[in-house]
Amino acid sequence: MEKYVINGGKKLQGEVEISGAKNAAVAIIPAALLVDGVCCIENMPQISDTDMLLTILKDLGAKVRLINKSTVEIDCTDVHNGDAPYDLMRKIRASYYLIGAMLGRFGAAKTTMPGGCNFGVRPIDQHIKGMTALGAEVEVKNGFVYAETRDGKLHGTRIYLDKVSVGATMNIIIAAALAQGRTIIENAAREPHIVDLANFLNSMGADIRGAGTDTVKINGVEKLHGGTYAIIPDQIEAGTYMVAAAATGGEVLVKNVIPRHLECISAKLRETGTIVQEYGDSVYIKGASNLRRTNVKTLPYPGFPTDMQPPMCVLLALAEGTSVMTEGVYDDRFKYVNELRKMGAEVTVDGRVAVIEGGKPLTGAPVHACDLRAGAAMVTAGLCASGTTVVEDIHFIERGYENFVGKLRALGADISLVNFPEEPDNADKVIAIG
Ligand code: EPU
């Protein structure tokens, strides 16, 4: 069983290069199904979520070729609307984009209900509302989503989202790219990866305007052609290193970023006394010797990202005084707090609000990654704690962080990926593998 073993107490120092954005990549890969020709996608993050989606495309008949570490060529010319590998679909949230992509390409789709991190109920009613408005008949039965158009085509329409949803906005954009006529999405989400998806599709011949605002207009086109596209840097990966640098009192240059996408994180870090300096495509972080308390509320972009909530809680646990973290997106995203408490953090949770009595020293402990970003938070806590922290269930973390151990080690962290024998009795006989 693979775990991360962290000997904490080292300040992060040096430079780290950010990979392509996971939440853009996981929409762009399914969207490639719409492209008539070869699309070459650069800055593709090497993480298990993108691996799984590429495997799903291959199963549908796509030719997928890795050109180098971060460039993938996808040719969906010969894809068929067969049974996709449902066991993989079930594991990832982003498999919901296959509904829009398969409907756009084949006029019909069968997928599983999506998996992903468990933050309480995560319905897809707004996705279904969008597909239905575009003319599909959608039925959810026995854990599967069946969607079908009457005449093989989707038809443009006006869709008002009842909830600002990243996934529904992107799914409707994908579905509408080849629909007949114009689609208008109102109350759309505005995250940078939504703009990236629209830019990808536009570079292949789509006509999408307004992405990044709350009204997105999609004029359906006949077909999309091949081309080359580079995915934007990952806002959350960058934010995770920024927070880890600040929490350890380190000094790190976070490279290959779009500083504008990080402003919501930079602003809150500055309130804690952290020095944040923005350059063209990098951000310099210098941790404060005495972190200051602050309050944070997560919101859709351009608000403070919910995906940064767990790592930020770790930082606030180290800051002297009482901080309040309010979760504005999900009902149940504080499950990891129990793990943080094992390390000495004083946090109480009431519904969507966590009260953090900061300034208590963290001590190493065996902890679980409850989900992707909670896992990143456990690693951050381990880096700041005295003694050894062992993080289990790291497969969650590897869904979204490329070469996490390698990048942290390059910054001076004492972290290793260790393969523990299955029997707990032999847990002291560890085999280090990187
Ligand atoms: N919601 C509905 N109905 C829907 C869709 C969403 O009620 O049909 C609710 C959700 O339950 C939630 C809120 O609306 O309370 C926002 O959900 P959203 O649809 O925006 O989230 P998502 O598409 O499921 C994506 C990311 C998440 C990230 C959120 C918010 C992907 C694959 N996932 O999820 O990323 O937290 O947007 O920014 O893009 C992560 O990377 O760790 C991660 C969880």
Side-chain angles (χ1 to χ4, degrees):
M1 193 197 290
E2 291 186 340
K3 304 177 188 181
Y4 293 158
V5 176
I6 306 160
N7 293 307
K10 294 210 161 54
K11 295 179 179 193
L12 296 187
Q13 306 272 358
E15 298 182 354
V16 61
E17 185 99 16
I18 298 307
S19 303
K22 162 183 152 316
N23 288 344
V26 297
I28 286 173
I29 296 170
L33 272 175
L34 304 173
V35 177
D36 204 359
V38 179
C39 42
C40 180
I41 306 170
E42 298 170 346
N43 212 24
M44 175 72 76
Q46 273 193 317
I47 48 177
S48 62
D49 266 20
T50 52
D51 282 351
M52 281 194 256
L53 283 162
L54 289 169
T55 304
I56 292 172
L57 282 204
K58 277 196 249 177
D59 253 63
L60 292 170
K63 291 192 189 74
V64 176
R65 201 157 70 94
L66 200 65
I67 305 294
N68 61 42
K69 190 173 107 20
S70 59
T71 306
V72 183
E73 236 179 43
I74 304 177
D75 181 356
C76 289
T77 312
D78 297 324
V79 290
H80 50 84
N81 193 8
D83 275 358
Y86 299 117
D87 51 327
L88 285 186
M89 282 191 177
R90 210 169 276 130
K91 285 189 184 149
I92 44 177
R93 186 83 193 145
S95 59
Y96 51 35
Y97 294 128
L98 288 161
I99 306 172
M102 291 169 95
L103 269 176
R105 170 83 192 231
F106 308 115
K110 179 185 169 193
T111 67
T112 61
M113 280 295 278
C117 299
N118 177 8
F119 315 133
V121 189
R122 293 179 77 182
I124 58 162
D125 58 305
Q126 298 305 303
H127 301 242
I128 294 173
K129 173 178 168 167
M131 301 306 148
T132 308
L134 288 164
E137 278 178 19
V138 186
E139 191 183 7
V140 179
K141 210 166 73 183
N142 304 330
F144 285 87
V145 181
Y146 300 86
E148 194 156 8
T149 55
R150 280 211 192 92
D151 57 357
K153 272 287 199 188
L154 294 168
H155 297 271
T157 185
R158 189 177 279 269
I159 301 161
Y160 178 86
L161 293 178
D162 302 320
K163 192 141 198 180
V164 178
S165 160
V166 172
T169 303
M170 289 167 90
N171 217 350
I172 296 167
I173 289 175
I174 293 171
L178 293 180
Q180 277 174 351
R182 169 181 261 216
T183 301
I184 299 176
I185 310 172
E186 288 171 311
N187 200 25
R190 293 178 284 165
E191 269 65 5
H193 28 287
I194 294 172
V195 181
D196 208 40
L197 169 70
N199 286 344
F200 163 76
L201 288 167
N202 284 343
S203 75
M204 308 281 150
D207 182 359
I208 303 163
R209 294 158 200 214
T213 74
D214 60 8
T215 306
V216 185
K217 296 179 180 148
I218 307 120
N219 293 309
V221 295
E222 280 284 306
K223 60 192 258 178
L224 299 181
H225 53 72
T228 298
Y229 188 77
I231 294 175
I232 52 165
D234 196 302
Q235 178 205 30
I236 306 301
E237 189 197 14
T240 303
Y241 286 102
M242 289 163 71
V243 169
T248 59
E251 197 175 351
V252 171
L253 188 67
V254 184
K255 291 166 65 175
N256 183 36
V257 297
I258 299 174
R260 190 166 35 86
H261 295 166
L262 302 171
E263 273 165 12
C264 37
I265 302 163
S266 304
K268 281 291 154 189
L269 281 178
R270 287 193 181 105
E271 287 177 24
T272 67
T274 304
I275 294 172
V276 184
Q277 284 165 4
E278 291 165 10
Y279 299 96
D281 62 355
S282 60
V283 174
Y284 164 84
I285 302 291
K286 187 170 181 348
S289 46
N290 286 310
L291 285 165
R292 292 199 296 263
R293 58 150 301 280
T294 190
N295 298 333
V296 180
K297 178 166 186 180
T298 72
L299 289 168
Y301 190 81
F304 187 87
T306 173
D307 295 341
M308 285 305 303
Q309 182 257 97
M312 193 66 185
C313 267
V314 173
L315 182 136
L316 296 177
L318 297 164
E320 204 65 50
T322 306
S323 300
V324 179
M325 171 65 81
T326 307
E327 172 54 51
V329 177
Y330 292 109
D331 288 333
D332 192 8
R333 205 174 187 173
F334 283 119
K335 288 197 191 80
Y336 69 92
V337 162
N338 283 336
E339 300 300 298
L340 205 50
R341 284 198 199 107
K342 290 183 193 164
M343 301 179 70
E346 273 193 30
V347 187
T348 49
V349 176
D350 186 5
R352 285 179 167 224
V353 179
V355 177
I356 305 151
E357 300 296 344
K360 315 283 181 304
L362 296 180
T363 49
V367 289
H368 285 273
C370 306
D371 60 62
L372 167 57
R373 310 301 174 186
M378 290 307 126
V379 171
T380 308
L383 296 173
C384 301
S386 58
T388 303
T389 297
V390 178
V391 184
E392 286 188 26
D393 292 325
I394 58 164
H395 60 95
F396 282 118
I397 303 176
E398 295 184 344
R399 288 186 42 208
Y401 290 91
E402 180 177 315
N403 188 21
F404 203 27
V405 168
K407 289 186 187 185
L408 285 169
R409 284 169 77 106
L411 291 172
D414 184 347
I415 175 170
S416 305
L417 175 67
V418 173
N419 197 356
F420 285 75
E422 291 298 324
E423 296 81 9
D425 292 351
N426 294 335
D428 53 337
K429 290 184 209 150
V430 296
I431 311 156
I433 56 169

